[in-house]
Coordinates of all heavy atoms in Angstrom, one line a residue:
G37 N -89.7 43.6 13.5 CA -89.3 42.6 14.6 C -88.0 43.1 15.3 O -87.8 42.8 16.5
G38 N -87.1 43.8 14.6 CA -85.9 44.3 15.2 C -86.1 45.2 16.4 O -85.3 45.3 17.3
L39 N -87.3 45.9 16.4 CA -87.6 46.8 17.5 C -87.9 46.0 18.8 O -87.8 46.6 19.9 CB -88.8 47.7 17.1 CG -88.4 48.9 16.3 CD1 -89.7 49.7 16.0 CD2 -87.4 49.8 16.9
F40 N -88.4 44.8 18.7 CA -88.8 44.0 19.8 C -87.5 43.5 20.6 O -87.6 43.1 21.7 CB -89.6 42.8 19.4 CG -91.0 43.2 19.0 CD1 -91.2 43.4 17.6 CD2 -92.0 43.3 19.9 CE1 -92.5 43.8 17.2 CE2 -93.3 43.6 19.4 CZ -93.5 43.8 18.1
V41 N -86.4 43.6 19.9 CA -85.2 43.0 20.5 C -84.1 44.0 20.8 O -83.4 43.9 21.9 CB -84.6 42.0 19.4 CG1 -83.3 41.4 19.9 CG2 -85.6 40.9 19.1
A42 N -83.9 45.1 20.0 CA -82.7 45.9 20.1 C -82.6 46.6 21.5 O -81.5 46.6 22.0 CB -82.8 46.9 19.0
F43 N -83.6 47.3 21.9 CA -83.5 48.1 23.1 C -83.0 47.3 24.3 O -82.1 47.6 25.0 CB -84.8 48.8 23.5 CG -84.7 49.7 24.7 CD1 -84.2 51.0 24.6 CD2 -85.2 49.2 25.9 CE1 -84.2 51.8 25.8 CE2 -85.1 50.0 27.0 CZ -84.6 51.3 27.0
A44 N -83.7 46.2 24.6 CA -83.4 45.3 25.7 C -82.1 44.7 25.6 O -81.3 44.5 26.6 CB -84.5 44.3 25.9
A45 N -81.7 44.3 24.4 CA -80.4 43.6 24.2 C -79.3 44.6 24.4 O -78.2 44.2 24.9 CB -80.3 43.0 22.8
L46 N -79.5 45.9 24.1 CA -78.4 46.9 24.2 C -78.3 47.5 25.6 O -77.3 47.8 26.1 CB -78.6 48.0 23.2 CG -78.3 47.7 21.8 CD1 -78.8 48.9 20.9 CD2 -76.9 47.4 21.6
R47 N -79.5 47.6 26.3 CA -79.5 48.4 27.5 C -79.7 47.6 28.8 O -79.6 48.2 29.9 CB -80.6 49.5 27.4 CG -80.5 50.4 26.2 CD -79.5 51.4 26.2 NE -79.6 52.4 27.3 CZ -80.3 53.5 27.3 NH1 -81.0 53.8 26.3 NH2 -80.3 54.3 28.4
L48 N -80.2 46.4 28.8 CA -80.6 45.7 30.0 C -79.7 44.4 30.1 O -79.0 44.0 29.2 CB -82.1 45.3 29.9 CG -83.0 46.5 29.9 CD1 -84.4 46.0 29.7 CD2 -82.9 47.3 31.2
D49 N -79.9 43.7 31.3 CA -79.2 42.5 31.5 C -79.7 41.4 30.6 O -80.8 41.5 30.0 CB -79.2 42.1 33.0 CG -80.7 41.9 33.4 OD1 -81.4 42.8 33.7 OD2 -81.0 40.7 33.5
F50 N -79.0 40.3 30.5 CA -79.3 39.2 29.5 C -80.7 38.6 29.8 O -81.5 38.4 28.9 CB -78.3 38.2 29.5 CG -78.5 37.1 28.4 CD1 -78.2 37.4 27.1 CD2 -79.1 35.9 28.7 CE1 -78.4 36.5 26.1 CE2 -79.3 35.0 27.7 CZ -79.0 35.3 26.4
R51 N -81.0 38.2 31.1 CA -82.2 37.5 31.4 C -83.4 38.4 31.1 O -84.4 37.9 30.6 CB -82.2 37.1 32.8 CG -81.3 35.9 33.1 CD -81.4 35.5 34.5 NE -80.3 34.6 34.9 CZ -80.1 34.1 36.1 NH1 -80.9 34.5 37.1 NH2 -79.1 33.3 36.3
T52 N -83.4 39.6 31.5 CA -84.5 40.5 31.3 C -84.8 40.7 29.9 O -85.9 40.7 29.4 CB -84.3 41.9 32.0 OG1 -84.0 41.7 33.4 CG2 -85.4 42.8 31.9
G53 N -83.7 41.0 29.1 CA -83.8 41.2 27.7 C -84.3 40.0 27.0 O -85.2 40.0 26.1
A54 N -83.8 38.8 27.4 CA -84.2 37.5 26.7 C -85.7 37.3 27.0 O -86.5 36.9 26.1 CB -83.4 36.4 27.2
A55 N -86.1 37.5 28.2 CA -87.6 37.3 28.6 C -88.5 38.2 27.8 O -89.5 37.8 27.3 CB -87.8 37.4 30.1
A56 N -88.1 39.5 27.7 CA -88.8 40.5 27.0 C -88.9 40.2 25.5 O -89.9 40.3 24.8 CB -88.3 41.9 27.2
A57 N -87.8 39.7 24.9 CA -87.7 39.4 23.5 C -88.6 38.2 23.2 O -89.3 38.1 22.2 CB -86.3 39.1 23.1
F58 N -88.5 37.2 24.1 CA -89.3 36.0 24.0 C -90.8 36.3 24.0 O -91.6 35.8 23.2 CB -89.0 34.9 25.0 CG -89.6 33.6 24.8 CD1 -89.1 32.7 23.9 CD2 -90.7 33.2 25.6 CE1 -89.6 31.5 23.7 CE2 -91.3 32.0 25.4 CZ -90.7 31.1 24.4
I59 N -91.2 37.1 25.0 CA -92.7 37.5 25.1 C -93.1 38.3 23.9 O -94.2 38.1 23.3 CB -92.9 38.2 26.4 CG1 -92.8 37.2 27.6 CG2 -94.3 38.9 26.4 CD1 -92.8 37.9 28.9
G60 N -92.2 39.2 23.4 CA -92.5 40.0 22.2 C -92.7 39.1 21.0 O -93.6 39.3 20.2
G61 N -91.9 38.0 20.9 CA -92.0 37.1 19.8 C -93.3 36.3 19.9 O -94.0 36.0 18.9
L62 N -93.7 35.9 21.1 CA -95.0 35.2 21.3 C -96.1 36.1 20.9 O -97.1 35.6 20.4 CB -95.1 34.7 22.8 CG -94.2 33.6 23.2 CD1 -94.4 33.3 24.7 CD2 -94.3 32.4 22.4
L63 N -96.1 37.4 21.2 CA -97.1 38.3 20.8 C -97.3 38.3 19.3 O -98.4 38.4 18.7 CB -96.8 39.7 21.3 CG -97.0 40.0 22.8 CD1 -96.5 41.3 23.2 CD2 -98.5 39.8 23.2
L64 N -96.1 38.3 18.6 CA -96.2 38.3 17.1 C -96.6 36.9 16.6 O -97.3 36.8 15.6 CB -94.9 38.7 16.5 CG -94.5 40.1 16.5 CD1 -93.2 40.4 15.9 CD2 -95.5 41.0 15.8
D65 N -96.2 35.9 17.3 CA -96.6 34.5 16.9 C -98.1 34.3 16.9 O -98.7 33.6 16.1 CB -96.0 33.5 17.8 CG -94.5 33.2 17.4 OD1 -94.2 33.4 16.2 OD2 -93.8 32.8 18.3
A66 N -98.8 35.0 17.9 CA -100.2 34.8 18.1 C -101.0 35.2 16.8 O -102.1 34.6 16.6 CB -100.7 35.6 19.3
G67 N -100.5 36.2 16.1 CA -101.3 36.6 14.9 C -100.6 36.4 13.6 O -101.0 37.0 12.6
S68 N -99.7 35.5 13.6 CA -98.9 35.2 12.3 C -99.2 33.8 11.8 O -99.4 32.9 12.6 CB -97.4 35.4 12.6 OG -97.1 36.7 12.9
P69 N -99.1 33.6 10.5 CA -99.3 32.3 10.0 C -98.0 31.4 10.0 O -97.6 30.8 9.0 CB -99.7 32.6 8.5 CG -99.0 33.8 8.2 CD -99.0 34.6 9.5
V70 N -97.3 31.4 11.1 CA -96.2 30.5 11.3 C -96.4 29.6 12.5 O -97.3 29.8 13.3 CB -94.9 31.4 11.5 CG1 -94.6 32.2 10.2 CG2 -95.0 32.3 12.7
T71 N -95.5 28.6 12.6 CA -95.6 27.7 13.8 C -95.4 28.6 15.1 O -94.5 29.4 15.1 CB -94.5 26.7 13.7 OG1 -94.7 26.0 12.4 CG2 -94.6 25.7 14.8
F72 N -96.3 28.3 16.0 CA -96.2 29.1 17.3 C -94.8 28.9 17.9 O -94.4 27.8 18.1 CB -97.3 28.7 18.2 CG -97.5 29.6 19.4 CD1 -98.0 30.9 19.2 CD2 -97.1 29.3 20.6 CE1 -98.2 31.8 20.2 CE2 -97.2 30.2 21.7 CZ -97.8 31.4 21.5
G73 N -94.2 30.0 18.2 CA -92.8 29.9 18.8 C -91.7 30.3 17.8 O -90.6 30.5 18.2
T74 N -92.1 30.4 16.6 CA -91.0 30.8 15.6 C -90.4 32.2 15.8 O -89.2 32.3 15.9 CB -91.6 30.7 14.1 OG1 -92.2 29.4 13.9 CG2 -90.6 31.1 13.1
H75 N -91.3 33.2 15.9 CA -90.8 34.5 16.2 C -90.1 34.5 17.6 O -89.0 35.2 17.7 CB -91.9 35.5 16.3 CG -92.5 35.9 15.0 ND1 -93.7 35.3 14.5 CD2 -92.1 36.7 14.0 CE1 -93.9 35.8 13.3 NE2 -93.0 36.6 13.0
A76 N -90.6 33.9 18.6 CA -90.0 33.9 19.9 C -88.6 33.3 19.9 O -87.7 33.9 20.4 CB -90.9 33.1 20.9
L77 N -88.4 32.2 19.2 CA -87.0 31.6 19.1 C -86.1 32.5 18.3 O -84.9 32.6 18.6 CB -87.1 30.2 18.6 CG -87.8 29.2 19.5 CD1 -87.9 27.8 18.8 CD2 -87.1 29.1 20.8
L78 N -86.6 33.0 17.2 CA -85.7 33.9 16.4 C -85.4 35.2 17.2 O -84.2 35.7 17.1 CB -86.4 34.3 15.1 CG -86.5 33.2 14.0 CD1 -87.4 33.6 12.9 CD2 -85.1 32.8 13.6
F79 N -86.3 35.7 17.9 CA -86.0 36.9 18.7 C -85.0 36.6 19.8 O -84.1 37.4 20.1 CB -87.3 37.5 19.4 CG -88.2 38.2 18.4 CD1 -87.9 38.2 17.1 CD2 -89.3 38.9 18.9 CE1 -88.8 38.9 16.2 CE2 -90.1 39.6 18.0 CZ -89.8 39.6 16.7
L80 N -85.0 35.4 20.4 CA -84.0 35.0 21.4 C -82.6 34.9 20.8 O -81.7 35.4 21.3 CB -84.4 33.6 22.0 CG -85.4 33.6 23.1 CD1 -85.7 32.2 23.6 CD2 -84.9 34.5 24.3
A81 N -82.6 34.4 19.6 CA -81.3 34.3 18.9 C -80.8 35.7 18.5 O -79.6 36.0 18.7 CB -81.4 33.5 17.6
A82 N -81.6 36.6 18.1 CA -81.2 38.0 17.8 C -80.8 38.7 19.0 O -79.8 39.4 19.0 CB -82.3 38.7 17.1
H83 N -81.5 38.5 20.1 CA -81.1 39.1 21.4 C -79.7 38.6 21.8 O -78.9 39.4 22.2 CB -82.1 38.7 22.5 CG -81.7 39.1 23.8 ND1 -81.7 40.4 24.3 CD2 -81.2 38.4 24.9 CE1 -81.3 40.5 25.5 NE2 -81.0 39.3 25.9
A84 N -79.4 37.3 21.7 CA -78.1 36.8 22.1 C -77.0 37.4 21.2 O -76.0 37.8 21.8 CB -78.1 35.3 22.0
V85 N -77.3 37.5 19.9 CA -76.2 38.1 19.1 C -76.0 39.6 19.4 O -74.8 40.0 19.6 CB -76.7 38.0 17.6 CG1 -75.8 38.8 16.7 CG2 -76.6 36.5 17.1
I86 N -77.0 40.4 19.5 CA -76.8 41.8 19.9 C -76.2 41.9 21.2 O -75.3 42.8 21.4 CB -78.2 42.5 19.8 CG1 -78.7 42.6 18.4 CG2 -78.0 44.0 20.3 CD1 -80.1 43.1 18.3
F87 N -76.6 41.1 22.2 CA -76.1 41.2 23.6 C -74.6 40.9 23.6 O -73.8 41.6 24.3 CB -76.8 40.3 24.5 CG -76.4 40.4 25.9 CD1 -77.0 41.4 26.7 CD2 -75.4 39.6 26.5 CE1 -76.6 41.5 28.1 CE2 -75.0 39.8 27.8 CZ -75.7 40.7 28.6
N88 N -74.1 40.0 22.8 CA -72.7 39.6 22.7 C -71.8 40.6 22.0 O -70.6 40.6 22.3 CB -72.6 38.2 22.1 CG -73.0 37.1 23.1 OD1 -72.7 37.2 24.3 ND2 -73.6 36.1 22.6
V89 N -72.4 41.4 21.1 CA -71.6 42.4 20.4 C -71.8 43.8 21.0 O -71.1 44.8 20.5 CB -71.8 42.4 18.9 CG1 -71.5 41.1 18.3 CG2 -73.2 42.8 18.6
R90 N -72.6 44.0 22.0 CA -72.9 45.3 22.5 C -71.8 46.0 23.2 O -71.8 47.3 23.3 CB -74.1 45.3 23.4 CG -73.9 44.8 24.7 CD -75.2 44.8 25.6 NE -74.9 44.5 27.0 CZ -75.7 44.6 27.9 NH1 -76.9 45.0 27.6 NH2 -75.4 44.4 29.2
A91 N -70.8 45.3 23.7 CA -69.7 45.9 24.4 C -68.8 46.8 23.5 O -68.1 47.6 24.0 CB -68.9 44.8 25.1
R92 N -68.9 46.5 22.2 CA -68.1 47.3 21.3 C -68.7 48.6 20.8 O -68.2 49.2 19.9 CB -67.8 46.4 20.1 CG -67.1 45.1 20.5 CD -66.8 44.2 19.3 NE -66.2 43.0 19.8 CZ -66.6 41.8 19.5 NH1 -67.7 41.7 18.8 NH2 -66.0 40.7 20.0
A93 N -69.9 48.9 21.3 CA -70.6 50.1 20.7 C -71.1 50.9 21.9 O -71.4 50.4 23.0 CB -71.8 49.6 19.9
P94 N -71.2 52.2 21.6 CA -71.8 53.1 22.7 C -73.3 52.9 22.7 O -74.1 53.6 22.1 CB -71.5 54.5 22.2 CG -71.3 54.4 20.7 CD -70.8 53.0 20.5
R95 N -73.7 51.9 23.5 CA -75.1 51.4 23.5 C -76.2 52.4 24.0 O -77.4 52.1 23.9 CB -75.2 50.1 24.2 CG -74.8 50.1 25.6 CD -74.8 48.7 26.1 NE -74.4 48.7 27.5 CZ -73.4 48.0 28.0 NH1 -72.7 47.2 27.2 NH2 -73.2 48.0 29.3
D96 N -75.8 53.4 24.7 CA -76.7 54.4 25.2 C -77.2 55.4 24.1 O -78.1 56.1 24.3 CB -76.1 55.2 26.3 CG -75.9 54.4 27.6 OD1 -76.5 53.3 27.6 OD2 -75.1 54.8 28.4
E97 N -76.5 55.4 23.0 CA -76.8 56.3 21.9 C -78.0 55.8 21.1 O -78.1 54.6 20.7 CB -75.6 56.5 20.9 CG -74.4 57.1 21.6 CD -74.6 58.5 22.0 OE1 -75.3 59.2 21.3 OE2 -74.1 58.9 23.0
T98 N -78.9 56.7 20.7 CA -80.1 56.3 20.0 C -79.7 55.8 18.6 O -80.3 54.9 18.1 CB -81.1 57.5 19.9 OG1 -81.4 58.0 21.2 CG2 -82.3 57.2 19.1
V99 N -78.7 56.5 18.0 CA -78.3 56.1 16.6 C -77.8 54.6 16.6 O -78.2 53.8 15.7 CB -77.3 57.0 16.1 CG1 -76.7 56.5 14.8 CG2 -77.8 58.4 15.9
V100 N -77.1 54.2 17.6 CA -76.6 52.9 17.7 C -77.8 51.9 17.9 O -77.8 50.8 17.3 CB -75.6 52.7 18.9 CG1 -75.3 51.3 19.2 CG2 -74.4 53.5 18.6
G101 N -78.8 52.3 18.7 CA -80.0 51.5 18.8 C -80.8 51.3 17.5 O -81.2 50.2 17.2
V102 N -80.9 52.4 16.8 CA -81.6 52.3 15.5 C -80.8 51.4 14.5 O -81.4 50.6 13.8 CB -81.8 53.7 14.9 CG1 -82.3 53.7 13.5 CG2 -82.7 54.6 15.8
I103 N -79.5 51.5 14.5 CA -78.7 50.7 13.6 C -78.8 49.2 14.0 O -79.0 48.3 13.2 CB -77.2 51.2 13.5 CG1 -77.2 52.5 12.8 CG2 -76.4 50.1 12.9 CD1 -75.8 53.2 12.9
A104 N -78.8 49.0 15.3 CA -78.9 47.6 15.8 C -80.3 47.0 15.5 O -80.4 45.9 15.0 CB -78.7 47.5 17.3
A105 N -81.3 47.9 15.6 CA -82.7 47.4 15.3 C -82.8 47.2 13.8 O -83.5 46.2 13.3 CB -83.7 48.5 15.7
L106 N -82.2 48.0 12.9 CA -82.2 47.8 11.5 C -81.5 46.5 11.1 O -82.0 45.8 10.2 CB -81.6 49.0 10.8 CG -82.5 50.3 10.7 CD1 -81.6 51.5 10.2 CD2 -83.7 50.1 9.8
L107 N -80.4 46.3 11.6 CA -79.6 45.0 11.3 C -80.4 43.8 11.8 O -80.4 42.8 11.1 CB -78.2 45.1 11.9 CG -77.3 46.1 11.2 CD1 -76.0 46.2 12.0 CD2 -77.1 45.8 9.7
A108 N -80.9 43.9 13.0 CA -81.7 42.8 13.6 C -82.9 42.5 12.7 O -83.3 41.4 12.4 CB -82.1 43.0 15.0
N109 N -83.6 43.6 12.3 CA -84.8 43.5 11.5 C -84.4 42.8 10.1 O -85.2 41.9 9.7 CB -85.4 44.8 11.3 CG -86.8 44.8 10.9 OD1 -87.7 44.2 11.6 ND2 -87.2 45.3 9.7
L110 N -83.3 43.2 9.6 CA -82.9 42.6 8.3 C -82.7 41.1 8.5 O -83.2 40.3 7.7 CB -81.6 43.3 7.8 CG -81.0 42.7 6.6 CD1 -81.9 42.8 5.4 CD2 -79.6 43.4 6.3
G111 N -81.9 40.7 9.5 CA -81.6 39.3 9.7 C -82.9 38.5 10.0 O -83.1 37.4 9.5
L112 N -83.7 39.0 10.9 CA -85.0 38.3 11.2 C -85.9 38.2 10.1 O -86.5 37.2 9.8 CB -85.6 39.1 12.4 CG -84.9 39.0 13.8 CD1 -85.5 40.0 14.7 CD2 -85.0 37.6 14.3
F113 N -86.0 39.3 9.3 CA -86.9 39.3 8.1 C -86.5 38.2 7.1 O -87.3 37.5 6.6 CB -86.9 40.7 7.5 CG -88.0 40.9 6.4 CD1 -89.2 41.4 6.8 CD2 -87.8 40.5 5.1 CE1 -90.2 41.6 5.8 CE2 -88.8 40.6 4.2 CZ -90.0 41.2 4.5
L114 N -85.2 38.2 6.8 CA -84.6 37.2 5.9 C -84.8 35.8 6.4 O -85.2 34.9 5.6 CB -83.2 37.5 5.6 CG -82.9 38.8 4.7 CD1 -81.4 39.0 4.6 CD2 -83.6 38.7 3.4

Side-chain angles (χ1 to χ4, degrees):
L39 280 178
F40 291 90
V41 177
F43 180 83
L46 288 172
R47 307 281 302 273
L48 298 173
D49 61 282
F50 186 81
R51 287 183 193 175
T52 303
F58 188 78
I59 291 170
L62 290 178
L63 288 172
L64 284 181
D65 280 333
S68 297
V70 295
T71 305
F72 193 72
T74 302
H75 287 99
L77 292 176
L78 287 173
F79 284 9
L80 278 177
H83 171 75
V85 169
I86 294 171
F87 187 85
N88 284 322
V89 299
R90 77 181 191 169
R92 299 181 185 123
R95 58 185 183 237
D96 293 342
E97 298 292 327
T98 303
V99 173
V100 172
V102 172
I103 291 171
L106 285 168
L107 291 174
N109 200 58
L110 175 65
L112 290 167
F113 191 95
L114 291 176

